[in-house]
């Protein structure tokens, strides 16, 4: 539950202040659902928009890869 500092790319989505990893994940899911980024054919996949592409590094990831992508953007 230690607060982590998000990278500049991640801060565009979750904000600039330090947050625990759980809150970062929660805010990411809020963003994904608000912008309807889950793939309609398989809801376990997340499509990247312009803000998520630098975080994911590709056009689509599975929900199981999300925490790995977030870890690279937290310090």
């Amino acid at each position: 539950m230690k607060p982590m500092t998000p990278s500049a790319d991640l801060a565009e989505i979750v904000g600039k202040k330090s947050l625990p990893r759980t809150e970062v994940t929660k805010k990411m899911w809020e963003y994904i659902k608000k912008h309807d980024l889950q793939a309609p054919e398989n809801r376990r996949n997340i499509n990247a928009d312009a803000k998520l592409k630098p975080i994911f590094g590709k056009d689509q990831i599975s929900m199981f890869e999300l925490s790995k992508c977030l870890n690279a953007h937290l310090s």
Side-chain angles (χ1 to χ4, degrees):
M1 296 302 281
K2 181 178 104 175
M4 306 290 283
T5 305
S7 68
D9 291 329
L10 186 57
E12 289 184 32
I13 297 168
V14 300
K16 290 184 165 80
K17 70 177 195 174
S18 296
L19 296 165
R21 224 179 278 272
T22 53
E23 282 297 310
V24 172
T25 304
K26 184 178 172 184
K27 286 182 181 274
M28 280 295 289
W29 274 110
E30 287 173 7
Y31 179 86
I32 290 164
K33 289 180 183 197
K34 179 181 177 186
H35 293 87
D36 196 32
L37 297 173
Q38 286 179 281
E41 70 279 354
N42 184 352
R43 307 275 299 163
R44 288 182 289 184
N45 291 333
I46 303 163
N47 297 321
D49 64 359
K51 286 186 177 182
L52 291 179
K53 198 160 190 167
I55 297 167
F56 293 171
K58 51 187 173 180
D59 291 329
Q60 188 179 67
I61 65 165
S62 78
M63 65 183 357
F64 306 110
E65 295 175 83
L66 182 60
S67 62
K68 180 182 172 190
C69 293
L70 293 178
N71 285 343
H73 290 272
L74 292 170
S75 59

